[in-house]
Amino acid sequence: MLSNAQRVERGDANDNYDHDPDHDHDDATAAAEAEADEEAQLLPIEETELEFEFEDSSQGELDRPRRRPRFRWCRVRVPVHRPRAPHPQAIRPFFPSTQEAPLLLLNRLLPKKKSNTGKYKTALLGGWVLLWAVAFLGFLSAQLPVKDGAGQAVVNVDCADSLWRRKNECGIDGIDCRPFSNQTFAFRCPAKCRDVRVLNPRAVGLLDVNYRPLVIGDNPYRADSFICGSAIHAGIVSDAAGGCGRLTLLGQRDSFPASRKHGIESIPFDSYFPSSFSVAQDQSFRCKGDPRRGLLILSLFFTIMISLFSASPSQFFVIFIIIFAHVSFASDPPSASYRNITVLPDHISMFAKRLLPALFCAVVIYGTCVKRTLQGLKAQVEKTVLWLGGFWFGALSNYTFDWIPISRLTAHDLEQQPGAKLALAVILIILVCIIFQQVYYFWLEGRLGRYLALYGLFVAGILFCLTIPGVLLRIHHYILALLLLPGTSMQTRPSLLYQGILLGLFVNGIARWDFDSILQTANALRGDAALNSKLPSIKDLKINHNPGNASLTIRLNTPPTGMHGLSTLVNDVERARTFFTHGNATLESEFEWLWSLTPRFSEYFRFAYVRDGRTLDYTKAVAHFANGTLFSPNRTQG
């Protein structure tokens, strides 16, 4: 009688034979393997194995119910969309006992009953935030109104405030910017005014000044100089803490030499200007400096304690509000009204206006990004250093990113600013590396497809906005943060850092600039930049010597159709505005300027057309030097 194994080997599976436990075990094993194969086919597959097989079909062999032997010659692995089993990322803390010590200490100090622990933690957090608010307001009291020794209110000036407005905004002969002399007032400057620069060209004689502080002269200063920049240059206030001083209007000055002091190189001007000022210390009153340094230490300490002693992701909202308040009132506050006696009302108004919609965005950010990153994270020190540190790094972007030579992402700025193109290229390379890193982690978690679809929608929306006529797309840094934040919704150390920085950029963008539109017209973006309008062209220059004086005659070519008049700047002050008779702009324009027989100063002339009551762009300067020579943008004459 053949054994069971021999019957199976001969294919005699239907013969009757005695019950054998080993046979039952083999059948159960085969059934389990078949079931496992069937389940494996239902699982999501990341790698498919293509097998090239050779089957030994010996004569006399029948089809078998069990798996046939396979001779595998080669195996090819083909990767597809996601791994065999999604692998959610989670941070395993370094030195876990040390990092969890703040949580253990807090639990030890609070009541043992679990029902009361949550209430006590909430009450403790509320008291901690209230303590921060009281201390924060105490520091802000330094910005309350102050009076000088004569009982007059000290005037707050912004970093870019001046006594004279650019181009012809002061009117003919500067009538709208008077008085020029015999006036004095005490002023107060905020911190960090040294690096405030003009971002569009300003005329200073033959120069077109750009991307530098507008400080002309060396105490006295030309009236269109930045007041706070001039005070830093003179050593009256500091860049780190701001300060107070006294400004005195001095009237006309005949020259303004340049010098480099306290980190600012002033601009020379070798001719007269109708208004100037000096700055000096005023010992008759005491003025507190800008409180932003003390407020930074305060807010940093309170947020660090919250981060260390709280493991709940909802701590995000408390930290968000504290940092938002710090930016709004201290590190990068919005501009206040011109020459006010205290900035607090304006800052409170802007804070209340911007915080509520920002909190709505924060709820969405929390549900989609922050909660997934912080949920279950017990690495308190790493979270504080990476996530909270990145949050502060982004929120203080006016300090931390100030060294990057990019003011605005426009073609003009990238061309004009030295090093801007190189800096942009380096930033793009870093971003690409970060994106590939995050894509890899999303692939490991099995979520890559959904996020690629989301960013596909983002790209489609951007491309659609680019096609809308009449407006320009502006990706502000708060918009950039919103676009990139979904790519940080995982629990890895790089994601903690990236998410923190993006949250800080969002807070800084809203607290400082509000929800500025992503679609803006060219006029809204231009500000005080050039209009790119048609410019007058010079046909002839001529010096006329008359009894007792001399004159310069400048003849311009025929104006183009549609121009209504001509404006003339002399030494950057509008001195004449003429209109074509009955709207007839077909005749040549002529300008004549008189001076004494022995001129002592150089003079600089610029011209612009007037259309619909608005002055267009001015030409480059035509110079008449003190030695009697002429210089025009196109040619030089003796």
Side-chain angles (χ1 to χ4, degrees):
M1 183 176 180
L2 296 175
S3 67
N4 292 337
Q6 290 173 331
R7 292 183 184 186
V8 172
E9 189 67 30
R10 294 184 56 184
D12 199 5
N14 295 325
D15 292 346
N16 294 325
Y17 52 86
D18 296 336
H19 176 73
D20 189 346
D22 293 335
H23 177 76
D24 291 345
H25 176 72
D26 290 341
D27 289 344
T29 302
E33 290 178 355
E35 183 179 357
D37 288 345
E38 184 174 333
E39 290 178 356
Q41 294 176 0
L42 299 177
L43 289 175
I45 298 174
E46 173 55 26
E47 296 178 352
T48 302
E49 297 180 356
L50 303 181
E51 300 173 356
F52 298 92
E53 303 171 356
F54 175 80
E55 181 179 351
D56 184 12
S57 54
S58 301
Q59 188 176 7
E61 292 285 328
L62 301 175
D63 293 337
R64 301 174 180 84
R66 296 180 64 181
R67 193 180 306 175
R68 297 186 296 272
R70 296 177 179 178
F71 299 91
R72 298 178 179 176
W73 285 9
C74 63
R75 176 181 295 175
V76 180
R77 296 174 180 261
V78 181
V80 287
H81 294 296
R82 60 182 180 179
R84 189 181 301 275
H87 181 62
Q89 301 298 301
I91 293 176
R92 295 182 178 179
F94 299 116
F95 309 105
S97 59
T98 302
Q99 296 204 51
E100 293 184 27
L103 300 178
L104 297 176
L105 177 62
L106 186 62
N107 290 333
R108 186 176 301 172
L109 295 176
L110 291 177
K112 301 298 182 181
K113 293 182 179 180
K114 293 184 177 180
S115 59
N116 294 329
T117 301
K119 296 179 181 178
Y120 277 98
K121 285 184 178 180
T122 302
L124 182 62
L125 179 60
W128 188 249
V129 174
L130 180 62
L131 183 61
W132 164 81
V134 172
F136 194 84
L137 292 174
F139 275 97
L140 286 183
S141 63
Q143 297 179 343
L144 292 173
V146 178
K147 292 187 177 181
D148 62 10
Q152 301 297 317
V154 177
V155 174
N156 286 282
V157 291
D158 198 21
C159 292
D161 283 348
S162 64
L163 302 174
W164 192 280
R165 297 184 291 276
R166 65 163 311 193
K167 288 185 177 179
N168 61 342
E169 294 177 7
C170 283
I172 303 295
D173 296 329
I175 190 171
D176 295 329
C177 292
R178 291 178 179 271
F180 296 158
S181 61
N182 300 323
Q183 187 172 344
T184 182
F185 61 87
F187 66 91
R188 175 162 56 182
C189 287
K192 200 173 175 13
C193 286
R194 182 177 59 196
D195 296 326
V196 174
R197 302 162 293 173
V198 290
L199 299 180
N200 293 309
R202 298 287 188 97
V204 181
L206 278 177
L207 302 176
D208 283 320
V209 177
N210 204 6
Y211 303 116
R212 62 183 298 183
L214 189 64
V215 178
I216 307 168
D218 185 8
N219 210 11
Y221 301 94
R222 217 171 81 163
D224 52 350
S225 301
F226 292 161
I227 295 174
C228 291
S230 301
I232 294 173
H233 180 266
I236 306 303
V237 303
S238 71
D239 180 62
C244 293
R246 178 161 294 276
L247 184 148
T248 303
L249 290 169
L250 301 176
Q252 179 171 311
R253 280 292 183 272
D254 294 335
S255 66
F256 299 87
S259 65
R260 182 176 182 83
K261 297 178 181 178
H262 304 101
I264 294 180
E265 184 175 0
S266 63
I267 302 163
F269 184 63
D270 60 348
S271 190
Y272 58 88
F273 197 82
S275 181
S276 64
F277 67 88
S278 66
V279 291
Q281 296 281 1
D282 190 338
Q283 303 298 332
S284 66
F285 70 99
R286 184 179 179 182
C287 174
K288 296 181 180 179
D290 193 303
R292 67 180 63 189
R293 180 176 295 180
L295 286 170
L296 177 61
I297 296 173
L298 173 74
S299 298
L300 269 175
F301 173 74
F302 274 80
T303 54
I304 287 173
M305 291 298 103
I306 293 172
S307 178
L308 286 176
F309 286 90
S310 175
S312 172
S314 59
Q315 65 184 279
F316 159 72
F317 293 102
V318 179
I319 294 174
F320 182 92
I321 293 174
I322 290 176
I323 296 180
F324 196 96
H326 181 83
V327 175
S328 299
F329 291 98
S331 65
D332 199 9
S335 299
S337 53
Y338 181 66
R339 292 175 66 172
N340 54 78
I341 61 174
T342 175
V343 297
L344 284 178
D346 291 307
H347 290 172
I348 292 172
S349 174
M350 293 297 101
F351 174 74
K353 172 187 175 184
R354 298 167 183 178
L355 178 63
L356 290 180
L359 280 176
F360 175 80
C361 295
V363 172
V364 178
I365 293 171
Y366 173 78
T368 57
C369 304
V370 176
K371 187 175 181 180
R372 182 183 288 270
T373 304
L374 300 184
Q375 186 74 45
L377 180 63
K378 297 297 181 64
Q380 300 299 97
V381 176
E382 292 180 71
K383 177 188 67 176
T384 301
V385 172
L386 296 174
W387 187 81
L388 181 62
F391 205 151
W392 276 107
F393 188 88
L396 300 175
S397 59
N398 57 320
Y399 289 88
T400 54
F401 293 116
D402 191 52
W403 57 273
I404 300 176
I406 298 177
S407 300
R408 296 172 298 189
L409 286 176
T410 63
H412 178 267
D413 283 10
L414 294 176
E415 287 289 341
Q416 295 294 320
Q417 291 184 269
K421 290 183 177 179
L422 177 61
L424 181 61
V426 172
I427 291 172
L428 290 177
I429 292 173
I430 294 174
L431 282 177
V432 169
C433 294
I434 291 174
I435 288 171
F436 274 106
Q437 180 189 49
Q438 296 302 99
V439 164
Y440 173 71
Y441 285 125
F442 274 110
W443 176 77
L444 289 179
E445 290 198 349
R447 296 189 291 143
L448 181 59
R450 285 178 291 169
Y451 280 83
L452 289 178
L454 175 64
Y455 279 98
L457 291 176
F458 288 164
V459 172
I462 291 173
L463 294 176
F464 174 76
C465 290
L466 289 173
T467 62
I468 300 176
V471 292
L472 300 174
L473 177 65
R474 290 296 305 276
I475 305 295
H476 307 284
H477 53 293
Y478 87 90
I479 294 291
L480 186 64
L482 290 176
L483 290 176
L484 297 180
L485 271 170
T488 65
S489 60
M490 66 184 71
Q491 195 178 107
T492 63
R493 290 180 177 89
S495 293
L496 284 177
L497 178 62
Y498 304 151
Q499 186 176 104
I501 293 175
L502 293 173
L503 289 171
L505 289 175
F506 174 79
V507 167
N508 179 270
I510 303 304
R512 178 64 178 90
W513 304 106
D514 205 353
F515 288 89
D516 212 358
S517 174
I518 63 172
L519 295 174
Q520 295 178 295
T521 63
N523 286 334
L525 292 173
R526 181 174 292 112
D528 61 355
L531 302 171
N532 297 320
S533 62
K534 294 182 178 180
L535 301 175
S537 59
I538 298 172
K539 182 177 182 180
D540 186 38
L541 299 170
K542 185 178 180 181
I543 298 178
N544 304 308
H545 294 280
N546 305 316
N549 61 39
S551 64
L552 170 65
T553 301
I554 302 176
R555 185 171 297 159
L556 305 176
N557 286 314
T558 302
T561 304
M563 302 302 171
H564 302 149
L566 185 72
S567 173
T568 304
L569 299 183
V570 180
N571 286 357
D572 310 320
V573 179
E574 188 176 30
R575 296 295 186 176
R577 184 180 294 194
T578 57
F579 291 89
F580 305 124
T581 306
H582 305 297
N584 183 5
T586 60
L587 302 177
E588 294 178 353
S589 302
E590 187 174 279
F591 173 79
E592 186 175 35
W593 184 254
L594 299 175
W595 65 85
S596 64
L597 210 61
T598 57
R600 296 180 299 153
F601 310 106
S602 301
E603 292 174 310
Y604 304 95
F605 305 88
R606 296 173 184 257
F607 304 92
Y609 289 122
V610 177
R611 184 174 61 194
D612 298 326
R614 182 184 186 184
T615 303
L616 305 182
D617 293 334
Y618 283 90
T619 63
K620 299 289 185 181
V622 175
H624 176 251
F625 298 110
N627 60 9
T629 60
L630 288 172
F631 170 82
S632 72
N634 300 321
R635 59 196 178 98
T636 303
Q637 287 188 359

